[in-house]
Amino acid sequence: MRAPLFSPATLAAAVSLALPLALYAVLPQAQADTIIDHANGYTMNAAGTLQRFTSLAFDDLGRIVAVGSERETAARLPKAEHIDVQGKTLLPGLIDAHGHVFELGEIASGVELFSATSLGGAVRAVGEFSRSHPKNAWIRGFGWNQEVWKLGRFPTAAELDAVVGDRPVLLSRVDGHAVWVNTKALEMAGIDRNTPDPKGGKIERDAAGKPSGVLVDAAMELVNKVVPLPTPNEARGMLDHALAVLSKAGLTSVHDAGIRVVQDDLYRDYADHGKLTTRVYAMIGDTAADFDELSKEGPLKSYANDVYALAAVKLYSDGALGSRGAALLAPYSDMPSTKGLLFYPNAEMQAKMNKAMKAGYQVNVHAIGDAGNRQILDAYAQLIPKYNNVELRHRIEHAQVVSLEDIPRFKALGIVPSMQPTHATSDQNMAEQRVGHERIKGAYAWRTFLDQGSRIACGSDFPVESPNPFEGLHAAVTRQNNAGVPAGGWYKNQAMTLTEAFRCFTLDAAYAAHQENVIGTLEPGKWADFILIDRDLFKVPAEQIGKTQVLQTWMGGKRVYKRDKRPD
C-alpha cells in the first residue's frame, strides 16, 4: 500500500461504428435473455483497438452472445427482453489491479483522517471519535499524512495522549506503511526504549531514544499483533461495505493484494451464495502459514464462474516513499542519513519467491524504491529461467521509482508493471524532494514503460487512494490531481492517452490476472460485465474525466448497482 487524500464521502458517493458481424459466429447456438439497446457503447477488441457498438446481448448465464447494432441483434435474437438505455455511454466493467478490499471496508468503522489538513485537526477528530465511541476497546483510524500538515516531522504519542489516554489508539498512515500510536498502545505492545528495531522496520524515537509514537513498516507488527482480530460479523460487515463501494465506483473486478485464510473462507462463502458482486482475483499474503494452508491444492484459477480466483502470492520488498521506507540505491535527497529499508536480504526474498513459484503461483511483489525494484528484478532473472514460467506473468506492484537502466528489464523478463496513476498525482508534493531531479525521471514513468511495449495493469491501491477508477483515468491522462494541479500536468511527458489508460483499467488489468479471455472487453463468450455512465468518456474535456458518475453496474448479466436519482 502507499498514498493520497480522499474522504469516505467520496467513497460512498466511483473507433469504428460497429463491431463486425463475424463476432456473432462465436456462440451460434446461444439464446440471449437480454439485449441492451440504444447504447453509446465503447469496448476494445483482443488487440486493444477501441471499438464502437450500440447493442449488447447476453444469455441467462450472463455471457455475451452478440455485440453490434440494434438491427443485427434484434434479427438474431427475436425473443430477448430489451432494455433501452437511451443513448447512455456503456463501457466494459472497469478493473482495479491493486487494492485491499477488507481494509476498504474497515475504514468505515474508524476515524477518517484522509481529509485532515493539519495535526490539530487530526487530533481533534480522534478525540471526537473516542468520545462518541466509548465502548470501543481500541480507537482505530486511517489516512493521516504529515506531508500535508507541513510538520517536517512525524506526529507523536504525546499529541494523542492529550485526547485519548485511557485506551490504545492505532492510526494508519495514508500509505499503510506506518502507524501512529499513543502511549497506551506502546505499553500494551511492550515497546519501550530497549525494544530493538525489527528487521525491515523502524521505531521512531525522540532525542533520548524513547519511542516517539510512529512505527514504520515491519515495526507496525509489534502493535498489530496485540490488536483483536475482527469478529466474523465484523469481517462480513467490512466486506459488505467494500463491495457496495466498489460496485458504485463501476469496478466489476478487483485484485486483492494480500489475503489470509479467514478472508479466503469468506470470499468462497460469498461466491457460493451469489453475494460477491465484484469479481476478486486474490493474492495470498506472503509465503508463511497462510500460504501453506491455502496452497495445499495449488492455485485456484477460477471459482464459481470466474467470480473468485486465488492464483497469486503477494510479497513486499520495501516500504513507501512518504514514510521514507522505500529502499533506494542512494540516500534520500531530503534525508541523506537514510536509504530506506529492504524488508529482507536478497537470499531470503529469493527464497520466498522460489517457494511460491515452485508451487505454481504468480508472484506479485510490492517494490517502490529503485533498490527494491532492482532486488526483485534480479530475483526474477534467476527464478523465471529456473522454472521456465514467464507465462505466469509475474508482476511488480507499484514499480514506482525505477532506475532508468532497469526499466527495460521488465519487458525482457516479461514482468507486468502493476501501477497506480493517482499515486503520481498524490505524491507530487514530496516525490521529487525524496529522490531528486535525476531519479524522478524513472518515477511514475508510464510513458517509458508503454513505449517499450510493457502492458501496464492499472489500479488505485484503495483505500490508500480513492477506488474511483475515473480519478485514475483522469490522473493517467492529465498528470493532475482532482483540483487540476499542477497546471499543464506533473511531468506530463509521462502521461497516457485516454485509450491507453482505458486499456490499462480493462484489458491489460485482466491480462495481469490471466483473465483476458473472460473479462476486460465486451466480446462474445465473455461475461457481461459492464457499466453505464453519465457522459461520453471519449468526447468530454480531459478535466471532466474524473467527475464521471456511474449510473449502473452489471456483473455477469446482473445489475448490482443503480444510482439513486437524488444527487450524492
Side-chain angles (χ1 to χ4, degrees):
M1 296 174 69
R2 322 161 340 107
L5 298 170
F6 72 95
S7 83
T10 302
L11 284 178
V15 185
S16 39
L17 181 61
L19 295 175
L21 186 60
L23 288 178
Y24 295 102
V26 176
L27 295 178
Q29 303 302 319
Q31 173 63 52
D33 287 327
T34 307
I35 296 177
I36 305 295
D37 285 330
H38 302 119
N40 176 38
Y42 293 90
T43 187
M44 287 183 163
N45 61 19
T49 303
L50 200 63
Q51 306 281 306
R52 300 292 303 277
F53 64 92
T54 58
S55 186
L56 172 72
F58 49 91
D59 62 24
D60 61 354
L61 297 176
R63 288 192 183 273
I64 298 170
V65 176
V67 184
S69 69
E70 288 88 353
R71 179 181 58 80
E72 292 161 337
T73 54
R76 178 137 175 115
L77 303 164
K79 296 182 180 180
E81 175 187 356
H82 289 252
I83 298 176
D84 187 345
V85 297
Q86 301 177 345
K88 295 291 189 298
T89 295
L90 189 155
L91 306 175
L94 299 177
I95 302 171
D96 191 309
H98 186 111
H100 303 272
V101 175
F102 285 83
E103 289 85 343
L104 177 65
E106 188 179 14
I107 66 170
S109 63
V111 191
E112 187 275 296
L113 299 175
F114 295 95
S115 57
T117 58
S118 68
L119 172 62
V123 170
R124 284 193 297 275
V126 172
E128 290 168 4
F129 184 91
S130 176
R131 288 189 292 274
S132 62
H133 295 79
K135 295 183 179 180
N136 284 24
W138 283 72
I139 302 301
R140 298 293 307 274
F142 311 88
W144 61 272
N145 187 350
Q146 84 284 359
E147 292 297 322
V148 172
W149 303 342
K150 308 295 183 185
L151 282 184
R153 62 171 176 84
F154 280 125
T156 67
E159 286 157 339
L160 289 176
D161 294 343
V163 290
V164 185
D166 60 333
R167 289 178 287 170
V169 178
L170 177 63
L171 310 172
S172 295
R173 191 181 185 277
V174 66
D175 57 13
H177 283 268
V179 293
W180 174 23
V181 297
N182 67 349
T183 298
K184 186 71 172 179
L186 290 171
E187 291 173 350
M188 291 181 67
I191 301 171
D192 58 27
R193 68 174 64 250
N194 297 315
T195 305
D197 287 347
K199 181 175 61 178
K202 184 179 182 182
I203 301 170
E204 292 292 329
R205 303 174 192 270
D206 62 21
K210 180 182 177 182
S212 59
V214 168
L215 309 172
V216 180
D217 290 320
M220 297 187 297
E221 185 57 24
L222 298 174
V223 68
N224 284 337
K225 67 184 181 183
V226 300
V227 179
L229 294 174
T231 66
N233 282 341
E234 287 171 339
R236 288 179 179 273
M238 292 175 191
L239 183 52
D240 288 341
H241 177 76
L243 290 172
V245 170
L246 297 172
S247 291
K248 189 170 185 177
L251 291 166
T252 55
S253 179
V254 298
H255 303 177
D256 195 340
I259 71 163
R260 305 181 69 175
V261 170
V262 63
Q263 294 162 329
D264 172 72
D265 288 342
L266 199 50
Y267 277 140
R268 293 180 194 236
D269 178 66
Y270 270 51
D272 288 340
H273 292 90
K275 296 175 63 178
L276 209 50
T277 52
T278 299
R279 301 182 193 277
V280 175
Y281 179 79
M283 312 172 201
I284 303 171
D286 207 277
T287 53
D290 286 282
F291 177 80
D292 293 340
E293 176 66 24
L294 292 171
S295 65
K296 287 179 178 178
E297 297 181 2
L300 178 67
K301 296 181 180 179
S302 176
Y303 185 80
N305 291 325
D306 301 318
V307 171
Y308 180 58
L310 186 65
V313 169
K314 166 71 179 302
L315 300 171
Y316 284 87
S317 172
D318 64 353
L321 204 62
S323 53
R324 297 190 185 88
L328 300 182
L329 294 169
Y332 275 79
S333 298
D334 61 352
M335 188 176 285
S337 61
T338 183
K339 293 183 181 180
L341 300 164
L342 283 174
F343 280 15
Y344 307 101
N346 293 341
E348 189 173 351
M349 172 56 77
Q350 188 163 323
K352 287 177 175 290
M353 296 169 69
N354 182 79
K355 182 177 180 179
M357 284 195 191
K358 186 176 181 180
Y361 286 84
Q362 178 192 56
V363 175
N364 303 337
V365 188
H366 163 118
I368 286 185
D370 52 11
N373 277 276
R374 181 167 294 177
Q375 180 191 54
I376 303 310
L377 289 168
D378 287 347
Y380 281 137
Q382 294 291 319
L383 294 172
I384 291 174
K386 176 181 177 179
Y387 291 104
N388 191 27
N389 64 1
V390 67
E391 75 281 354
L392 287 181
R393 304 172 188 172
H394 303 293
R395 296 160 47 166
I396 288 184
E397 305 299 312
H398 310 308
Q400 194 167 302
V401 181
V402 185
S403 172
L404 289 174
E405 64 188 270
D406 283 335
I407 291 178
R409 301 177 69 193
F410 281 75
K411 178 65 175 174
L413 292 167
I415 305 304
V416 175
S418 172
M419 306 174 84
Q420 299 76 44
T422 48
H423 281 346
T425 53
S426 294
D427 289 357
Q428 61 176 301
N429 66 338
M430 59 82 184
E432 191 163 355
Q433 298 170 23
R434 295 286 194 270
V435 301
H437 182 67
E438 285 304 311
R439 284 184 291 190
I440 202 70
K441 295 175 183 177
Y444 317 91
W446 316 323
R447 171 54 48 203
T448 304
F449 278 100
L450 289 171
D451 286 349
Q452 73 178 12
S454 290
R455 299 179 71 163
I456 298 175
C458 278
S460 66
D461 201 9
F462 64 76
V464 166
E465 304 275 358
S466 165
N468 183 346
F470 294 98
E471 293 181 18
L473 288 164
H474 172 265
V477 172
T478 66
R479 302 278 293 199
Q480 295 175 321
N481 64 20
N482 291 341
V485 176
W490 186 64
Y491 286 95
K492 185 66 181 291
N493 61 306
Q494 290 292 346
M496 302 183 196
T497 68
L498 180 55
T499 300
E500 289 169 338
F502 181 62
R503 174 172 171 158
C504 86
F505 275 101
T506 53
L507 181 61
D508 288 350
Y511 172 85
H514 299 269
Q515 294 175 331
E516 73 275 16
N517 292 324
V518 293
I519 59 173
T521 62
L522 299 173
E523 299 177 88
K526 293 188 175 185
W527 293 109
D529 294 1
F530 62 92
I531 59 176
L532 295 171
I533 58 175
D534 67 345
R535 65 200 69 195
D536 189 328
L537 184 70
F538 291 92
K539 292 183 179 178
V540 297
E543 60 268 21
Q544 287 191 23
I545 293 172
K547 298 179 174 63
T548 301
Q549 296 288 315
V550 176
L551 304 176
Q552 295 184 29
T553 301
W554 292 65
M555 198 268 280
K558 296 181 180 179
R559 191 174 67 196
V560 295
Y561 168 75
K562 182 179 181 181
R563 185 187 179 196
D564 194 309
K565 291 184 178 180
R566 293 172 298 178
D568 290 324

